[in-house]
Amino acid sequence: LMNAAAKREFRLDPAIRIVTIPVAIPIGKPALHVSSRSENPGLNSAPALAVVLRAFEGGGAQRDMILLCNALAAKGVRIAVLALRVEGPLRRLLDPAIRVAEVPGRQLRYAIPGLRRLIRDTVPAVVVSSEASLNLCTLVAVRSLSRRNRPK
């Protein structure tokens, strides 16, 4: 049983409710930096969150990640989308303020070195992937970085 104080509830929108139950209590600064609306970090600042997508096409996972990116960007989180292919019908759903970078290689089997380089150069605090095969590529790319350059 968890006590009520251990649960955290976030509301991005009145219709959306996210509840997290921490496994460990984080110490230090938070991983995601939420900027105020008046703050304009520009394109050259490091994103707090990098989202890895195969392409801007497909179904649920891609669409959900795009909608999540839009909601977080509206709250001031700096986001970069790293995609193997940057064109597709779902691209129009993405907020134009969100930075998009193409992963060199364009195919999953060739993407790991390019994804690793892009993550190293982009320097995000957190990397998220939600597609089955791409999860493994993202894990290999992140874990092959040195510990001090590795995002969460």
Side-chain angles (χ1 to χ4, degrees):
L1 291 170
M2 297 272 316
N3 64 24
K7 291 183 182 178
R8 293 189 185 143
E9 182 173 314
F10 301 96
R11 289 193 182 265
L12 299 176
D13 183 294
I16 299 173
R17 182 175 146 204
I18 299 172
V19 177
T20 62
I21 302 172
V23 175
I25 298 172
I27 299 174
K29 66 180 185 175
L32 293 178
H33 168 72
V34 179
S35 61
S36 67
R37 288 218 177 248
S38 62
E39 181 182 332
N40 185 4
L43 288 177
N44 292 329
S45 64
L49 177 66
V51 175
V52 183
L53 291 176
R54 183 184 45 77
F56 287 97
E57 58 189 25
Q62 296 86 354
R63 189 176 194 288
D64 289 345
M65 291 305 287
I66 290 168
L67 295 177
L68 178 64
C69 288
N70 290 343
L72 291 173
K75 294 293 182 183
V77 177
R78 294 184 315 271
I79 298 175
V81 173
L82 314 177
L84 274 65
R85 285 175 296 225
V86 295
E87 64 276 344
L90 295 177
R91 176 73 187 258
R92 64 181 175 77
L93 295 177
L94 188 67
D95 183 342
I98 296 173
R99 184 171 57 179
V100 177
E102 187 169 14
V103 177
R106 290 184 52 97
Q107 291 183 6
L108 202 54
R109 69 182 118 188
Y110 305 120
I112 294 173
L115 183 58
R116 180 185 185 278
R117 228 177 359 263
L118 198 53
I119 291 170
R120 184 190 64 214
D121 296 344
T122 307
V123 195
V126 178
V127 176
V128 176
S129 173
S130 69
E131 299 175 51
S133 299
L134 197 53
N135 287 341
L136 185 58
C137 290
T138 303
L139 178 67
V140 170
V142 168
R143 295 293 291 191
S144 66
L145 293 169
S146 67
R147 275 196 187 268
R148 72 168 207 267
N149 293 334
R150 195 180 296 166
K152 304 288 180 223

